[in-house]
Amino acid sequence: MELSPTAYVILGMLDWRPMSGYEIKGIVDKSTRFFWAASYGQIYPELRSLSEAGLVTGKANPQGGRKRNVYRLTAAGRRALRAWLEAEPEVYETRDEGLLKLFFASATGGESAPKTLEAMGRGHRRIVDQLRATEAQSPPEGFAYLVLRYGIEFHEWNAAWCERAGAALEETADRSAA
Amino acid sequence: MELSPTAYVILGMLDWRPMSGYEIKGIVDKSTRFFWAASYGQIYPELRSLSEAGLVTGKANPQGGRKRNVYRLTAAGRRALRAWLEAEPEVYETRDEGLLKLFFASATGGESAPKTLEAMGRGHRRIVDQLRATEAQSPPEGFAYLVLRYGIEFHEWNAAWCERAGAALEETADRSAA
DNA sequence: GGTTGCATGTAAAACGTTACATGATTTT
DNA sequence: AAAATCATGTAACGTTTTACATGCAACC
């Protein structure tokens, strides 16, 4: 019974406390989204199959006339989560369209590069702003906070790199103009 | 005619010089792979559809009895590439299973965290080694080199972060043991 | 009465990897 | 003679996003 990392996102959150699929999605969007995203189209079917595999159990928990299914980890689910945590991480992937545009910028004679770098820097700074907003509401402790700090420092580093690279580009442009 | 960023990887490389699908894959694996991967299963079908769209033309160019199709950009292909380069980058995604394991490390009482951090650091250092090997064979100029430098500095920063975080973890462990 | 938020789910499409199948040439 | 490299391609599978469909409840 091989589970995808996305399944462990769900198991990990249910280890904190019982939750509905909707709640899981809300927390994902404020936390793991920056290094592991998940959509409703994954979460609801995955909850069902985890339930069939006996790793979680769902219970109807309607709030008034509004339906709601709350899931919790089973003992087997907790074991599966721990086993995964002890194993070596395997997946590491990045898709960065900005870097790709920078990589091929010679096709515009380099003209497109400054704008691309600015857009990349803006993107990273926007993420920093979002993460800082989350940080302001988070207790400064624990692993979720450690990873949040990683996100902030990481995107700050990236934004700074974009600025350095932009400045270096200007310099070479000035030098060839002189 | 919306093209995926993967299509632009192909157009971008063909803007450098005419190439076969096999060659494109070889160059991808030494360069863009670290921020935009592509498999044969994408490259060959994409070459065909770019050809049907009139953005590239293929010509049989067998080497002895070994078949080989070399593609080159058309004027329309060059225009499409430039238009894409001038537009804002949109896709930015990361999937980092190590961060996910760190994020949920409290489920092992934090016990799994040091090993996860070490594995993450090892992974980043291995990428740095690969990129440095490429750097040793690259002329230190141009946008491909700029992006290569980004890769090296980026993964070095990441490896260093993992070491810092590991050290911080040890410190808190020592403090609570004392 | 309208908007926003809570809540669940499916279907289709897009995207991507892996394994398979085939065969020539070059290097060891 | 074997192994590595060059070379093309498809099929099956798995993953992920997006759009759609539905409806209640709370707030303004």
Side-chain angles (χ1 to χ4, degrees), chain B residues 32-47:
Chain B
T32 68
R33 157 159 91 101
F34 298 101
F35 52 93
W36 205 287
S39 63
Y40 287 123
Q42 288 172 275
I43 290 169
Y44 286 116
E46 191 68 71
L47 277 169

Side-chain angles (χ1 to χ4, degrees), chain A residues 82-155:
Chain A
R82 288 211 202 102
W84 171 74
L85 286 169
E86 298 290 352
E88 293 245 326
E90 279 169 19
V91 182
Y92 179 82
E93 270 163 48
T94 298
R95 302 240 143 194
D96 188 334
E97 195 181 1
L99 279 179
L100 206 53
K101 291 192 182 199
L102 198 57
F103 187 78
F104 289 123
S106 54
T108 61
E111 236 188 79
S112 59
K115 269 178 288 179
T116 298
L117 278 167
E118 271 163 50
M120 288 169 71
R122 260 198 314 281
H124 288 295
R125 283 191 299 272
R126 194 171 51 234
I127 295 176
V128 169
D129 290 344
Q130 286 171 54
L131 294 175
R132 279 199 194 290
T134 300
E135 190 191 18
Q137 305 164 9
S138 307
E141 62 189 36
F143 290 101
Y145 183 73
L146 180 66
V147 172
L148 178 60
R149 285 299 315 169
Y150 168 87
I152 292 170
E153 293 169 29
F154 171 90
H155 289 288

Side-chain angles (χ1 to χ4, degrees), chain A residues 5-6 8-13 15-16 27 31-38 42 81-113 115-117 119-120 122 124 127 143-150 153-155 157-158 161 164-165 169, chain B residues 5-6 8-13 15-16 27 31-38 42 81-113 115-117 119-120 122 124 127 143-150 153-155 157-158 161 164-165 169:
Chain A
T6 301
Y8 291 107
V9 172
I10 293 173
L11 295 181
M13 298 214 169
D15 183 61
W16 293 350
I27 297 179
S31 57
T32 68
R33 158 159 89 99
F34 298 102
F35 51 92
W36 205 286
Q42 288 171 274
L81 175 62
R82 288 211 202 102
W84 171 74
L85 286 169
E86 298 290 352
E88 293 245 326
E90 279 169 19
V91 182
Y92 179 82
E93 270 163 48
T94 298
R95 302 240 143 194
D96 188 334
E97 195 181 1
L99 279 179
L100 206 53
K101 291 192 182 199
L102 198 57
F103 187 78
F104 289 123
S106 54
T108 61
E111 236 188 79
S112 59
K115 269 178 288 179
T116 298
L117 278 167
M120 288 169 71
R122 260 198 314 281
H124 288 295
I127 295 176
F143 290 101
Y145 183 73
L146 180 66
V147 172
L148 178 60
R149 285 299 315 169
Y150 168 87
E153 293 169 29
F154 171 90
H155 289 288
W157 184 90
N158 268 275
W161 185 88
R164 282 201 302 279
L169 234 53
Chain B
T6 302
Y8 291 107
V9 172
I10 293 173
L11 294 182
M13 298 216 169
D15 183 61
W16 293 349
I27 297 179
S31 56
T32 68
R33 157 159 91 101
F34 298 101
F35 52 93
W36 205 287
Q42 288 172 275
L81 176 61
R82 289 210 202 104
W84 171 74
L85 287 168
E86 298 290 350
E88 294 245 326
E90 280 169 19
V91 182
Y92 179 83
E93 271 162 48
T94 298
R95 302 243 140 190
D96 189 334
E97 195 180 2
L99 280 178
L100 206 53
K101 292 194 181 197
L102 198 57
F103 187 79
F104 289 123
S106 54
T108 61
E111 235 189 79
S112 59
K115 267 178 290 179
T116 298
L117 278 168
M120 287 169 72
R122 260 198 314 282
H124 287 295
I127 294 175
F143 291 101
Y145 183 74
L146 180 67
V147 172
L148 178 59
R149 285 301 313 170
Y150 169 88
E153 292 169 29
F154 171 90
H155 289 288
W157 184 91
N158 268 275
W161 185 88
R164 283 200 301 279
L169 234 54

